[in-house]
Amino acid sequence: MAGWMWLRCLFGPNLQRIHRSPDQTRADGRTPRRGWNYQPRGLEKHTDSILGWASVIWSLSYYSSPLLLCYLYRKGYICSSKLVPLSQYVGTALVCLLGVACLRGWGRWRNPEYIQFFSILEETRKNHTPSNKKKLACFDFDFKNWPVDFSWKEVSSPKLSKGGVSLLRPEPKHRGAADGVLSSVRTLPCHILSYLIAHSFGRRMLYPGSVGLLQKAMRPMLQQGQARLVEEYDGQRNKLVACDGNEIDTMFVDRRTDGGPAGKTLVICCEGNAGFYEVGCMNTPLDGGYSVLGWNHPGFGGSTGVPFPQNEANAMDVVIQFAVHKLGFQLSDIIVYAWSIGGFTASWAVMSYPEIRALVLDASFDDLLPLALKVMPESWRPLVTHTVRQYMNLNNAEQLCKYQGPVLLIRRTKDEIITTTGPEDIMSNRGNDLLLKLLQYRYPKVMTDDAVRAVRQWLAAGTQIEGESVYTGYEVDDDWCLSVLQSYQTDRETLFPWSVGEDMTLEGRRQLALFLARKYMRNFDTTHCTPLPISEFRPPWRLESQ
């Protein structure tokens, strides 16, 4: 029996922290210390350190393998006479590491805290009841060993297609049969190269948070953030299984029982390309008293997979299904909040679930392609275009225009990431294009060339004072604009696009365009990565609420 337990400890998960149960109190009635880092004993500590360094060395070798192989080839080491001794050294190192792992298993077996944790984990795997889940939630450990809390299979999802949920695809170009075959042959090298770029450095450049070395470097910060969410906010960690088999790491903070009106609303947070819910944009709605559901991209933190658009949408779909079918929220109770590249999954969510109450996009962009072209050589333009459209088509504006509900865009006036020239050129901020495309779709009769020029002039204002100067310079009458929109909404079908502005004067269109631009977009005078304060987070403008 002892040998069997030692063997199971050998292959058991790493334990990082123990959270004291929230219903535990001290005898003197004082607030207890809510948690502490797991303290391995000497043998386990040293062997774990050795295995950790081996993992780092393996990661470095993996990412540098192309350069390393080229170097070895030029030096003549890629031959049988050199590889045989090398394989012997590698084999010896692996045997030593196996011995170290066995010693670590022994150290775990001799630690009562680890044995207690492992017993609870085994019991929860056999019987996943709420009481066992509550006991297991007192431990922070390798998420791959966490039992599944919700799967897409538990509900019927009509949005599934062959590769998962449906995505908007670029329009195919129509050609004759012979022309199509010849074109496919000519472009085959481009297709192969695009695939290699997308699945190697391209995906890692776009989503650096999925790189293992970065996650190892951030691990202490992520563990601290995890502990804060669980111990200070009573956060509930859950594992969701998407339709592609990826396991999605989520954190839910329930504020419905606090009595505040904001707690009845669920804010689903979509993080940036190097963001994690442990230290990301969840903190903003938490400060506002909302119920909050955060999740990590595929390949980030405890989530498995890789963050390609299809996998991202599949993950977002199961997160929404979990919020509705497991947490008990209605779609009309949900606000989707996204920062930066999270705008893709957020805009997909509101496109696919139009009953969602509202969308807030912070420091997001309209389309990935202009930003990708910015960082690549001009000679690569055709290849970059094909790669983005085929494998990384983050078409936020196109998805956003499929949504009928309220939208708020937050533009960072000193944004250095989603500008195509530099932070000093505010007109190169792709948030401007996102706003214009949305307004041009929803109010095509208002957004004439002259009205677009007026909105661009307002967008070019770098400060609030300059923006107000442009606004007052066009003598915008807010009451008149509001009455025009309200009367149109009352008299006609309210689905976008609207025909309001069809019989309006040039001056009227300019006023209405500026009024709508200021309602749909707010400026935040800071850089891309500054956390958004709760004072800047608010539900989007609704015409019917006026």
Side-chain angles (χ1 to χ4, degrees):
M1 183 65 182
W4 177 244
M5 179 57 75
W6 164 77
L7 188 62
R8 304 190 78 171
C9 290
L10 169 64
F11 296 103
N14 290 318
L15 176 61
Q16 282 94 30
R17 187 174 176 86
I18 301 172
H19 311 294
R20 191 184 294 272
S21 178
D23 53 8
Q24 286 181 291
T25 56
R26 290 179 176 173
D28 56 9
R30 290 183 295 146
T31 302
R33 179 166 60 95
R34 297 294 297 275
W36 60 93
N37 291 331
Y38 169 67
Q39 298 297 330
R41 296 181 177 179
L43 182 61
E44 182 185 358
K45 180 179 180 180
H46 294 307
T47 52
D48 201 41
S49 178
I50 294 171
L51 293 174
W53 276 108
S55 176
V56 171
I57 292 172
W58 165 253
S59 297
L60 288 171
S61 302
Y62 173 78
Y63 289 115
S64 62
S65 57
L67 296 176
L68 185 61
L69 289 174
C70 289
Y71 174 79
L72 293 176
Y73 177 77
R74 293 185 64 182
K75 292 294 184 179
Y77 290 122
I78 309 295
C79 59
S80 58
S81 61
K82 300 290 186 180
L83 291 177
V84 170
L86 180 62
S87 63
Q88 293 174 344
Y89 293 139
V90 172
T92 302
L94 291 176
V95 171
C96 292
L97 289 176
L98 178 60
V100 171
C102 291
L103 291 175
R104 184 177 68 174
W106 176 269
R108 288 173 173 175
W109 180 55
R110 302 291 295 175
N111 192 322
E113 281 189 337
Y114 191 88
I115 292 298
Q116 180 190 20
F117 149 72
F118 196 75
S119 300
I120 293 174
L121 175 61
E122 290 291 289
E123 179 61 29
T124 307
R125 284 172 173 170
K126 295 176 185 176
N127 190 13
H128 195 190
T129 62
S131 59
N132 285 337
K133 170 70 184 297
K134 186 176 180 181
K135 294 177 184 177
L136 188 64
C138 293
F139 300 93
D140 182 11
F141 56 97
D142 291 343
F143 193 67
K144 64 182 179 182
N145 293 275
W146 191 279
V148 174
D149 297 291
F150 180 80
S151 172
W152 70 278
K153 295 179 181 178
E154 297 180 27
V155 294
S156 59
S157 179
K159 304 184 190 321
L160 293 181
S161 61
K162 183 178 179 181
V165 297
S166 59
L167 295 179
L168 295 178
R169 306 287 184 183
E171 290 291 332
K173 296 180 180 179
H174 300 287
R175 296 188 180 93
D179 186 37
V181 172
L182 290 174
S183 176
S184 298
V185 172
R186 285 198 306 269
T187 58
L188 182 60
C190 181
H191 282 280
I192 295 174
L193 193 55
S194 292
Y195 178 88
L196 294 175
I197 290 174
H199 288 79
S200 56
F201 67 87
R203 187 257 299 173
R204 291 172 175 85
M205 285 180 63
L206 186 59
Y207 288 96
S210 65
V211 177
L213 283 175
L214 177 63
Q215 295 191 38
K216 289 180 188 295
M218 294 184 64
R219 184 171 296 166
M221 187 187 305
L222 298 181
Q223 290 174 357
Q224 184 179 2
Q226 184 82 233
R228 176 175 173 268
L229 291 170
V230 172
E231 296 168 12
E232 293 185 21
Y233 294 99
D234 293 328
Q236 305 165 23
R237 198 178 189 187
N238 295 281
K239 177 186 283 190
L240 318 182
V241 178
C243 59
D244 52 17
N246 286 336
E247 298 172 348
I248 308 302
D249 183 5
T250 70
M251 178 65 70
F252 171 56
V253 177
D254 193 351
R255 296 281 184 75
R256 286 173 290 188
T257 58
D258 293 350
K264 304 295 190 295
T265 299
L266 176 68
V267 179
I268 298 180
C269 297
C270 303
E271 301 291 343
N273 63 354
F276 303 80
Y277 73 70
E278 291 91 339
V279 292
C281 60
M282 273 188 72
N283 293 313
T284 298
L286 279 177
D287 292 340
Y290 293 92
S291 294
V292 184
L293 177 59
W295 60 283
N296 279 330
H297 299 282
F300 284 56
S303 298
T304 62
V306 289
F308 282 110
Q310 184 66 66
N311 298 338
E312 288 273 280
N314 293 342
M316 188 68 195
D317 184 65
V318 76
V319 168
I320 295 174
Q321 296 284 356
F322 173 71
V324 173
H325 295 282
K326 195 79 170 184
L327 301 181
F329 288 91
Q330 300 295 319
L331 287 172
S332 57
D333 298 328
I334 295 175
I335 295 176
V336 180
Y337 166 48
W339 172 64
S340 190
I341 209 171
F344 171 74
T345 48
S347 57
W348 180 90
V350 296
M351 173 188 71
S352 304
Y353 295 90
E355 301 90 350
I356 287 175
R357 182 195 296 181
L359 173 67
V360 179
L361 295 180
D362 177 18
S364 197
F365 52 86
D366 63 321
D367 188 5
L368 177 65
L369 183 58
L371 299 173
L373 292 172
K374 175 186 75 170
V375 298
M376 291 297 180
E378 179 63 26
S379 58
W380 287 31
R381 188 182 188 89
L383 180 61
V384 172
T385 301
H386 182 270
T387 303
V388 169
R389 289 289 177 246
Q390 192 68 29
Y391 298 103
M392 301 172 177
N393 191 30
L394 305 187
N395 48 346
N396 300 350
E398 188 180 4
Q399 294 183 149
L400 182 59
C401 289
K402 303 291 184 182
Y403 178 55
Q404 294 284 323
V407 177
L408 173 63
L409 308 179
I410 300 174
R411 182 181 66 162
R412 310 293 185 99
T413 58
K414 298 177 182 176
D415 202 309
E416 73 283 13
I417 302 298
I418 63 168
T419 51
T420 53
T421 56
E424 67 284 348
D425 181 11
I426 196 171
M427 285 308 292
S428 70
N429 188 312
R430 296 305 300 188
N432 301 332
D433 302 85
L434 185 59
L435 172 68
L436 288 171
K437 289 177 181 178
L438 179 62
L439 293 181
Q440 286 171 328
Y441 171 77
R442 290 192 169 189
Y443 311 97
K445 303 300 182 181
V446 173
M447 299 301 292
T448 58
D449 290 344
D450 196 67
V452 169
R453 280 193 291 271
V455 173
R456 287 188 179 277
Q457 186 179 349
W458 177 77
L459 289 171
T463 65
Q464 183 178 357
I465 296 175
E466 293 175 357
E468 287 296 330
S469 175
V470 173
Y471 200 77
T472 56
Y474 280 98
E475 299 179 347
V476 180
D477 186 340
D478 288 357
D479 293 335
W480 176 81
C481 293
L482 189 59
S483 65
V484 168
L485 293 172
Q486 286 177 333
S487 61
Y488 178 89
Q489 185 186 47
T490 303
D491 297 340
R492 298 171 178 82
E493 176 62 44
T494 58
L495 290 179
F496 295 112
W498 286 7
S499 60
V500 62
E502 196 169 18
D503 301 323
M504 196 173 289
T505 64
L506 191 63
E507 181 184 359
R509 289 195 188 102
R510 284 195 300 241
Q511 286 194 41
L512 197 54
L514 287 169
F515 174 82
L516 290 167
R518 196 163 72 163
K519 291 296 184 183
Y520 277 88
M521 175 175 277
R522 291 183 58 84
N523 286 324
F524 183 33
D525 187 27
T526 188
T527 56
H528 186 78
C529 296
T530 304
L532 187 74
I534 187 57
S535 60
E536 297 294 328
F537 180 87
R538 62 196 66 184
W541 170 71
R542 286 175 177 268
L543 178 60
E544 60 270 19
S545 65
Q546 302 300 317

